[in-house]
Amino acid sequence: MLRTNLRERPGKNFIAFVAACLLLVAAAFAGYAGQPVIWEISGRADLLKGDARGVSISDTGVLMLAPRLNEVFNTEQAFIWSSAVDGQGNVYLGTGHDGKVYRVSPDGRGTLLYDAPELDVTALITGRDGSVYAGTSPDGKVYRIAADGHAEVFFDPADKYIWSLAVLNDGSLAVATGDNGKLYRVRTAGAKPESSLLIATNQTHVMSLAVTEQ
């Protein structure tokens, strides 16, 4: 009787057989998928293997909500080495390796302010007169940039790197350099490096500066 049915209705029997196999596979998969899966995460190293979205991982391995980040302006440059803010809320960005300075307005619109001859703009500060001072590397110079983008060399020491700038209480400009670890106080544009030297450290680089109020 079985042989007769197969000869008469091979298509229907084959479909029924395939359907039965699929049901068995589905039932087996459902049984497997329904089993609980338990894994243990211990320590910061395990957490860092994952993709942290909206959370921060502390040094001790504690998860916490992270601040939300929104892209304001993309310089399309390889590096942003320095930044500064003026009294109107404009943000200035010093980049590399094309040595450009961008100005980003409070509404997020960014424009190219100055394109320096050097590769990197490693230091930025805004002056009391509204000018932007930019320190460059590897041919260390300090430029004074006006609001319209016009720039002039303000200070030109023999040092290769200008790492940090600060406006002192008397309005002069402090310039930290490398690779001879010197600190200058520049009072006027075009001042001589030898007469502007404040201190020559025994270190290779002076990387950062801070000014206390008096």
Side-chain angles (χ1 to χ4, degrees):
M1 186 67 179
L2 178 61
R3 293 179 180 176
T4 303
N5 289 339
L6 287 174
R7 292 192 186 97
E8 293 175 355
R9 296 184 298 174
K12 292 183 178 179
N13 281 281
F14 179 74
I15 293 172
F17 175 75
V18 173
C21 291
L22 290 175
L23 287 173
L24 289 174
V25 172
F29 180 77
Y32 174 79
Q35 298 298 320
V37 178
I38 301 173
W39 67 92
E40 180 180 350
I41 296 176
S42 59
R44 185 171 183 266
D46 288 343
L47 291 172
L48 290 176
K49 294 177 182 178
D51 185 10
R53 298 183 181 181
V55 295
S56 295
I57 304 171
S58 71
D59 292 340
T60 58
V62 176
L63 283 176
M64 62 189 73
L65 289 177
R68 184 175 179 179
L69 300 179
N70 296 314
E71 182 178 291
V72 176
F73 173 65
N74 185 358
T75 66
E76 299 182 352
Q77 300 299 303
F79 303 99
I80 296 178
W81 293 123
S82 54
S83 63
V85 183
D86 65 14
Q88 287 72 47
N90 297 301
V91 177
Y92 299 89
L93 304 174
T95 69
H97 291 311
D98 287 332
K100 295 179 179 179
V101 178
Y102 292 88
R103 178 171 53 204
V104 184
S105 62
D107 61 1
R109 290 184 297 177
T111 56
L112 177 64
L113 180 64
Y114 179 62
D115 189 354
E118 289 75 44
L119 293 177
D120 300 292
V121 179
T122 46
L124 285 173
I125 195 74
T126 55
R128 295 179 178 179
D129 59 353
S131 299
V132 176
Y133 294 87
T136 63
S137 300
D139 184 14
K141 288 183 176 65
V142 177
Y143 293 89
R144 181 167 59 190
I145 310 171
D148 61 359
H150 175 74
E152 61 180 2
V153 177
F154 182 77
F155 184 59
D156 186 10
D159 305 77
K160 290 183 63 177
Y161 306 102
I162 308 295
W163 290 126
S164 185
L165 300 171
V167 177
L168 301 178
N169 294 306
D170 62 357
S172 59
L173 186 68
V175 181
T177 71
D179 49 0
N180 291 314
K182 293 179 179 180
L183 177 61
Y184 297 90
R185 172 183 279 170
V186 185
R187 301 182 185 276
T188 60
K192 299 295 184 181
E194 54 272 18
S195 61
S196 303
L197 182 63
L198 186 62
I199 182 173
T201 70
N202 59 355
Q203 305 299 314
T204 305
H205 302 280
V206 180
M207 299 296 299
S208 62
L209 296 171
V211 178
T212 57
E213 296 294 335
Q214 293 181 355

PDB file of all heavy atoms in Angstrom, residues 76-104:
ATOM      1  N   GLU A  76      38.138  68.037   9.245  1.00  0.00           N
ATOM      2  CA  GLU A  76      38.679  67.144   8.216  1.00  0.00           C
ATOM      3  C   GLU A  76      40.203  67.144   8.210  1.00  0.00           C
ATOM      4  O   GLU A  76      40.830  66.860   7.184  1.00  0.00           O
ATOM      5  CB  GLU A  76      38.121  67.498   6.828  1.00  0.00           C
ATOM      6  CG  GLU A  76      36.608  67.379   6.731  1.00  0.00           C
ATOM      7  CD  GLU A  76      36.082  67.674   5.347  1.00  0.00           C
ATOM      8  OE1 GLU A  76      36.880  68.113   4.489  1.00  0.00           O
ATOM      9  OE2 GLU A  76      34.880  67.468   5.113  1.00  0.00           O
ATOM     10  N   GLN A  77      40.792  67.463   9.359  1.00  0.00           N
ATOM     11  CA  GLN A  77      42.241  67.421   9.513  1.00  0.00           C
ATOM     12  C   GLN A  77      42.625  66.204  10.359  1.00  0.00           C
ATOM     13  O   GLN A  77      41.796  65.666  11.105  1.00  0.00           O
ATOM     14  CB  GLN A  77      42.745  68.694  10.202  1.00  0.00           C
ATOM     15  CG  GLN A  77      42.418  69.969   9.451  1.00  0.00           C
ATOM     16  CD  GLN A  77      43.047  70.012   8.077  1.00  0.00           C
ATOM     17  OE1 GLN A  77      44.254  69.904   7.912  1.00  0.00           O
ATOM     18  NE2 GLN A  77      42.207  70.186   7.056  1.00  0.00           N
ATOM     19  N   ALA A  78      43.878  65.791  10.227  1.00  0.00           N
ATOM     20  CA  ALA A  78      44.317  64.587  10.939  1.00  0.00           C
ATOM     21  C   ALA A  78      44.367  64.791  12.449  1.00  0.00           C
ATOM     22  O   ALA A  78      44.048  63.877  13.219  1.00  0.00           O
ATOM     23  CB  ALA A  78      45.695  64.162  10.421  1.00  0.00           C
ATOM     24  N   PHE A  79      44.741  65.983  12.894  1.00  0.00           N
ATOM     25  CA  PHE A  79      44.911  66.232  14.335  1.00  0.00           C
ATOM     26  C   PHE A  79      44.366  67.604  14.708  1.00  0.00           C
ATOM     27  O   PHE A  79      44.439  68.554  13.924  1.00  0.00           O
ATOM     28  CB  PHE A  79      46.398  66.167  14.725  1.00  0.00           C
ATOM     29  CG  PHE A  79      47.064  64.872  14.369  1.00  0.00           C
ATOM     30  CD1 PHE A  79      47.837  64.768  13.218  1.00  0.00           C
ATOM     31  CD2 PHE A  79      46.916  63.759  15.173  1.00  0.00           C
ATOM     32  CE1 PHE A  79      48.452  63.576  12.882  1.00  0.00           C
ATOM     33  CE2 PHE A  79      47.527  62.558  14.845  1.00  0.00           C
ATOM     34  CZ  PHE A  79      48.293  62.461  13.707  1.00  0.00           C
ATOM     35  N   ILE A  80      43.839  67.694  15.909  1.00  0.00           N
ATOM     36  CA  ILE A  80      43.558  68.976  16.550  1.00  0.00           C
ATOM     37  C   ILE A  80      44.480  69.060  17.754  1.00  0.00           C
ATOM     38  O   ILE A  80      44.309  68.352  18.747  1.00  0.00           O
ATOM     39  CB  ILE A  80      42.086  69.097  16.968  1.00  0.00           C
ATOM     40  CG1 ILE A  80      41.184  69.078  15.723  1.00  0.00           C
ATOM     41  CG2 ILE A  80      41.858  70.379  17.759  1.00  0.00           C
ATOM     42  CD1 ILE A  80      39.707  69.137  16.027  1.00  0.00           C
ATOM     43  N   TRP A  81      45.477  69.920  17.669  1.00  0.00           N
ATOM     44  CA  TRP A  81      46.507  70.003  18.700  1.00  0.00           C
ATOM     45  C   TRP A  81      46.166  71.000  19.804  1.00  0.00           C
ATOM     46  O   TRP A  81      46.644  70.862  20.930  1.00  0.00           O
ATOM     47  CB  TRP A  81      47.841  70.412  18.077  1.00  0.00           C
ATOM     48  CG  TRP A  81      48.484  69.423  17.153  1.00  0.00           C
ATOM     49  CD1 TRP A  81      48.845  69.622  15.857  1.00  0.00           C
ATOM     50  CD2 TRP A  81      48.863  68.071  17.448  1.00  0.00           C
ATOM     51  NE1 TRP A  81      49.422  68.494  15.319  1.00  0.00           N
ATOM     52  CE2 TRP A  81      49.456  67.531  16.278  1.00  0.00           C
ATOM     53  CE3 TRP A  81      48.772  67.264  18.591  1.00  0.00           C
ATOM     54  CZ2 TRP A  81      49.937  66.221  16.214  1.00  0.00           C
ATOM     55  CZ3 TRP A  81      49.249  65.959  18.528  1.00  0.00           C
ATOM     56  CH2 TRP A  81      49.826  65.450  17.355  1.00  0.00           C
ATOM     57  N   SER A  82      45.393  72.019  19.506  1.00  0.00           N
ATOM     58  CA  SER A  82      45.194  73.093  20.479  1.00  0.00           C
ATOM     59  C   SER A  82      43.836  73.737  20.272  1.00  0.00           C
ATOM     60  O   SER A  82      43.216  73.606  19.213  1.00  0.00           O
ATOM     61  CB  SER A  82      46.308  74.140  20.347  1.00  0.00           C
ATOM     62  OG  SER A  82      46.394  74.604  19.004  1.00  0.00           O
ATOM     63  N   SER A  83      43.375  74.448  21.297  1.00  0.00           N
ATOM     64  CA  SER A  83      42.099  75.151  21.207  1.00  0.00           C
ATOM     65  C   SER A  83      42.110  76.349  22.141  1.00  0.00           C
ATOM     66  O   SER A  83      42.891  76.406  23.102  1.00  0.00           O
ATOM     67  CB  SER A  83      40.936  74.223  21.554  1.00  0.00           C
ATOM     68  OG  SER A  83      41.035  73.786  22.905  1.00  0.00           O
ATOM     69  N   ALA A  84      41.241  77.307  21.864  1.00  0.00           N
ATOM     70  CA  ALA A  84      41.105  78.503  22.695  1.00  0.00           C
ATOM     71  C   ALA A  84      39.708  79.069  22.474  1.00  0.00           C
ATOM     72  O   ALA A  84      39.069  78.803  21.452  1.00  0.00           O
ATOM     73  CB  ALA A  84      42.170  79.544  22.341  1.00  0.00           C
ATOM     74  N   VAL A  85      39.226  79.855  23.441  1.00  0.00           N
ATOM     75  CA  VAL A  85      37.899  80.463  23.374  1.00  0.00           C
ATOM     76  C   VAL A  85      38.034  81.954  23.639  1.00  0.00           C
ATOM     77  O   VAL A  85      38.772  82.368  24.539  1.00  0.00           O
ATOM     78  CB  VAL A  85      36.945  79.831  24.408  1.00  0.00           C
ATOM     79  CG1 VAL A  85      35.542  80.432  24.283  1.00  0.00           C
ATOM     80  CG2 VAL A  85      36.888  78.324  24.245  1.00  0.00           C
ATOM     81  N   ASP A  86      37.316  82.766  22.861  1.00  0.00           N
ATOM     82  CA  ASP A  86      37.356  84.206  23.106  1.00  0.00           C
ATOM     83  C   ASP A  86      36.122  84.648  23.896  1.00  0.00           C
ATOM     84  O   ASP A  86      35.260  83.833  24.263  1.00  0.00           O
ATOM     85  CB  ASP A  86      37.490  84.988  21.789  1.00  0.00           C
ATOM     86  CG  ASP A  86      36.273  84.840  20.877  1.00  0.00           C
ATOM     87  OD1 ASP A  86      35.214  84.359  21.330  1.00  0.00           O
ATOM     88  OD2 ASP A  86      36.374  85.217  19.693  1.00  0.00           O
ATOM     89  N   GLY A  87      36.023  85.941  24.140  1.00  0.00           N
ATOM     90  CA  GLY A  87      34.942  86.474  24.948  1.00  0.00           C
ATOM     91  C   GLY A  87      33.578  86.385  24.304  1.00  0.00           C
ATOM     92  O   GLY A  87      32.546  86.488  24.990  1.00  0.00           O
ATOM     93  N   GLN A  88      33.504  86.193  22.991  1.00  0.00           N
ATOM     94  CA  GLN A  88      32.232  86.086  22.288  1.00  0.00           C
ATOM     95  C   GLN A  88      31.761  84.637  22.140  1.00  0.00           C
ATOM     96  O   GLN A  88      30.727  84.379  21.528  1.00  0.00           O
ATOM     97  CB  GLN A  88      32.333  86.711  20.894  1.00  0.00           C
ATOM     98  CG  GLN A  88      32.393  88.240  20.898  1.00  0.00           C
ATOM     99  CD  GLN A  88      33.727  88.761  21.409  1.00  0.00           C
ATOM    100  OE1 GLN A  88      34.780  88.285  20.992  1.00  0.00           O
ATOM    101  NE2 GLN A  88      33.678  89.740  22.293  1.00  0.00           N
ATOM    102  N   GLY A  89      32.533  83.720  22.686  1.00  0.00           N
ATOM    103  CA  GLY A  89      32.150  82.311  22.598  1.00  0.00           C
ATOM    104  C   GLY A  89      32.654  81.599  21.374  1.00  0.00           C
ATOM    105  O   GLY A  89      32.307  80.430  21.147  1.00  0.00           O
ATOM    106  N   ASN A  90      33.471  82.262  20.566  1.00  0.00           N
ATOM    107  CA  ASN A  90      34.083  81.586  19.420  1.00  0.00           C
ATOM    108  C   ASN A  90      35.175  80.641  19.899  1.00  0.00           C
ATOM    109  O   ASN A  90      35.964  80.981  20.784  1.00  0.00           O
ATOM    110  CB  ASN A  90      34.682  82.602  18.451  1.00  0.00           C
ATOM    111  CG  ASN A  90      33.642  83.512  17.850  1.00  0.00           C
ATOM    112  OD1 ASN A  90      32.707  83.062  17.205  1.00  0.00           O
ATOM    113  ND2 ASN A  90      33.791  84.816  18.072  1.00  0.00           N
ATOM    114  N   VAL A  91      35.222  79.470  19.292  1.00  0.00           N
ATOM    115  CA  VAL A  91      36.247  78.476  19.619  1.00  0.00           C
ATOM    116  C   VAL A  91      37.247  78.415  18.468  1.00  0.00           C
ATOM    117  O   VAL A  91      36.851  78.346  17.299  1.00  0.00           O
ATOM    118  CB  VAL A  91      35.619  77.086  19.847  1.00  0.00           C
ATOM    119  CG1 VAL A  91      36.705  76.041  20.105  1.00  0.00           C
ATOM    120  CG2 VAL A  91      34.634  77.128  21.008  1.00  0.00           C
ATOM    121  N   TYR A  92      38.525  78.431  18.812  1.00  0.00           N
ATOM    122  CA  TYR A  92      39.591  78.372  17.819  1.00  0.00           C
ATOM    123  C   TYR A  92      40.304  77.029  17.938  1.00  0.00           C
ATOM    124  O   TYR A  92      40.610  76.577  19.052  1.00  0.00           O
ATOM    125  CB  TYR A  92      40.572  79.524  18.009  1.00  0.00           C
ATOM    126  CG  TYR A  92      39.920  80.872  17.858  1.00  0.00           C
ATOM    127  CD1 TYR A  92      39.344  81.513  18.958  1.00  0.00           C
ATOM    128  CD2 TYR A  92      39.842  81.505  16.622  1.00  0.00           C
ATOM    129  CE1 TYR A  92      38.713  82.735  18.824  1.00  0.00           C
ATOM    130  CE2 TYR A  92      39.220  82.734  16.482  1.00  0.00           C
ATOM    131  CZ  TYR A  92      38.656  83.343  17.588  1.00  0.00           C
ATOM    132  OH  TYR A  92      38.028  84.556  17.453  1.00  0.00           O
ATOM    133  N   LEU A  93      40.553  76.410  16.803  1.00  0.00           N
ATOM    134  CA  LEU A  93      41.161  75.084  16.760  1.00  0.00           C
ATOM    135  C   LEU A  93      42.448  75.130  15.949  1.00  0.00           C
ATOM    136  O   LEU A  93      42.452  75.584  14.809  1.00  0.00           O
ATOM    137  CB  LEU A  93      40.201  74.071  16.133  1.00  0.00           C
ATOM    138  CG  LEU A  93      38.818  73.945  16.791  1.00  0.00           C
ATOM    139  CD1 LEU A  93      37.930  73.023  15.963  1.00  0.00           C
ATOM    140  CD2 LEU A  93      38.943  73.438  18.218  1.00  0.00           C
ATOM    141  N   GLY A  94      43.540  74.655  16.549  1.00  0.00           N
ATOM    142  CA  GLY A  94      44.809  74.546  15.846  1.00  0.00           C
ATOM    143  C   GLY A  94      45.032  73.106  15.419  1.00  0.00           C
ATOM    144  O   GLY A  94      44.949  72.189  16.241  1.00  0.00           O
ATOM    145  N   THR A  95      45.305  72.890  14.142  1.00  0.00           N
ATOM    146  CA  THR A  95      45.334  71.532  13.600  1.00  0.00           C
ATOM    147  C   THR A  95      46.691  71.178  12.988  1.00  0.00           C
ATOM    148  O   THR A  95      47.585  72.000  12.866  1.00  0.00           O
ATOM    149  CB  THR A  95      44.243  71.373  12.522  1.00  0.00           C
ATOM    150  OG1 THR A  95      44.591  72.167  11.371  1.00  0.00           O
ATOM    151  CG2 THR A  95      42.883  71.824  13.033  1.00  0.00           C
ATOM    152  N   GLY A  96      46.817  69.932  12.597  1.00  0.00           N
ATOM    153  CA  GLY A  96      47.987  69.408  11.899  1.00  0.00           C
ATOM    154  C   GLY A  96      47.535  68.251  11.012  1.00  0.00           C
ATOM    155  O   GLY A  96      46.470  67.704  11.214  1.00  0.00           O
ATOM    156  N   HIS A  97      48.292  67.910  10.020  1.00  0.00           N
ATOM    157  CA  HIS A  97      49.606  68.380   9.640  1.00  0.00           C
ATOM    158  C   HIS A  97      49.562  69.410   8.507  1.00  0.00           C
ATOM    159  O   HIS A  97      50.547  69.549   7.759  1.00  0.00           O
ATOM    160  CB  HIS A  97      50.464  67.213   9.203  1.00  0.00           C
ATOM    161  CG  HIS A  97      50.852  66.263  10.278  1.00  0.00           C
ATOM    162  ND1 HIS A  97      51.394  66.669  11.485  1.00  0.00           N
ATOM    163  CD2 HIS A  97      50.776  64.930  10.346  1.00  0.00           C
ATOM    164  CE1 HIS A  97      51.653  65.620  12.235  1.00  0.00           C
ATOM    165  NE2 HIS A  97      51.286  64.555  11.585  1.00  0.00           N
ATOM    166  N   ASP A  98      48.495  70.144   8.418  1.00  0.00           N
ATOM    167  CA  ASP A  98      48.410  71.220   7.433  1.00  0.00           C
ATOM    168  C   ASP A  98      48.544  72.596   8.083  1.00  0.00           C
ATOM    169  O   ASP A  98      48.472  73.612   7.387  1.00  0.00           O
ATOM    170  CB  ASP A  98      47.094  71.141   6.657  1.00  0.00           C
ATOM    171  CG  ASP A  98      47.076  69.989   5.666  1.00  0.00           C
ATOM    172  OD1 ASP A  98      48.164  69.615   5.197  1.00  0.00           O
ATOM    173  OD2 ASP A  98      45.992  69.458   5.378  1.00  0.00           O
ATOM    174  N   GLY A  99      48.698  72.648   9.393  1.00  0.00           N
ATOM    175  CA  GLY A  99      48.939  73.900  10.092  1.00  0.00           C
ATOM    176  C   GLY A  99      47.851  74.943   9.921  1.00  0.00           C
ATOM    177  O   GLY A  99      48.142  76.098   9.635  1.00  0.00           O
ATOM    178  N   LYS A 100      46.604  74.542  10.126  1.00  0.00           N
ATOM    179  CA  LYS A 100      45.501  75.469   9.930  1.00  0.00           C
ATOM    180  C   LYS A 100      44.846  75.855  11.260  1.00  0.00           C
ATOM    181  O   LYS A 100      44.846  75.075  12.202  1.00  0.00           O
ATOM    182  CB  LYS A 100      44.452  74.856   9.002  1.00  0.00           C
ATOM    183  CG  LYS A 100      44.972  74.614   7.585  1.00  0.00           C
ATOM    184  CD  LYS A 100      43.914  73.988   6.702  1.00  0.00           C
ATOM    185  CE  LYS A 100      44.445  73.779   5.282  1.00  0.00           C
ATOM    186  NZ  LYS A 100      43.449  73.147   4.397  1.00  0.00           N
ATOM    187  N   VAL A 101      44.292  77.066  11.294  1.00  0.00           N
ATOM    188  CA  VAL A 101      43.531  77.547  12.441  1.00  0.00           C
ATOM    189  C   VAL A 101      42.095  77.791  11.983  1.00  0.00           C
ATOM    190  O   VAL A 101      41.855  78.530  11.025  1.00  0.00           O
ATOM    191  CB  VAL A 101      44.130  78.841  13.017  1.00  0.00           C
ATOM    192  CG1 VAL A 101      43.282  79.348  14.191  1.00  0.00           C
ATOM    193  CG2 VAL A 101      45.567  78.614  13.476  1.00  0.00           C
ATOM    194  N   TYR A 102      41.152  77.165  12.680  1.00  0.00           N
ATOM    195  CA  TYR A 102      39.737  77.319  12.365  1.00  0.00           C
ATOM    196  C   TYR A 102      39.043  78.102  13.475  1.00  0.00           C
ATOM    197  O   TYR A 102      39.402  77.990  14.658  1.00  0.00           O
ATOM    198  CB  TYR A 102      39.058  75.958  12.211  1.00  0.00           C
ATOM    199  CG  TYR A 102      39.512  75.176  10.996  1.00  0.00           C
ATOM    200  CD1 TYR A 102      40.611  74.332  11.067  1.00  0.00           C
ATOM    201  CD2 TYR A 102      38.847  75.291   9.785  1.00  0.00           C
ATOM    202  CE1 TYR A 102      41.036  73.610   9.954  1.00  0.00           C
ATOM    203  CE2 TYR A 102      39.261  74.575   8.671  1.00  0.00           C
ATOM    204  CZ  TYR A 102      40.357  73.741   8.759  1.00  0.00           C
ATOM    205  OH  TYR A 102      40.779  73.028   7.659  1.00  0.00           O
ATOM    206  N   ARG A 103      38.037  78.872  13.070  1.00  0.00           N
ATOM    207  CA  ARG A 103      37.194  79.576  14.040  1.00  0.00           C
ATOM    208  C   ARG A 103      35.784  78.986  13.957  1.00  0.00           C
ATOM    209  O   ARG A 103      35.185  78.929  12.882  1.00  0.00           O
ATOM    210  CB  ARG A 103      37.154  81.070  13.745  1.00  0.00           C
ATOM    211  CG  ARG A 103      36.232  81.858  14.697  1.00  0.00           C
ATOM    212  CD  ARG A 103      36.402  83.366  14.507  1.00  0.00           C
ATOM    213  NE  ARG A 103      36.241  83.738  13.114  1.00  0.00           N
ATOM    214  CZ  ARG A 103      36.773  84.848  12.574  1.00  0.00           C
ATOM    215  NH1 ARG A 103      37.487  85.675  13.314  1.00  0.00           N
ATOM    216  NH2 ARG A 103      36.580  85.117  11.301  1.00  0.00           N
ATOM    217  N   VAL A 104      35.267  78.536  15.107  1.00  0.00           N
ATOM    218  CA  VAL A 104      33.928  77.947  15.177  1.00  0.00           C
ATOM    219  C   VAL A 104      33.053  78.884  15.994  1.00  0.00           C
ATOM    220  O   VAL A 104      33.324  79.134  17.174  1.00  0.00           O
ATOM    221  CB  VAL A 104      33.955  76.544  15.809  1.00  0.00           C
ATOM    222  CG1 VAL A 104      32.566  75.915  15.774  1.00  0.00           C
ATOM    223  CG2 VAL A 104      34.958  75.646  15.084  1.00  0.00           C
TER     224      VAL A 104
END
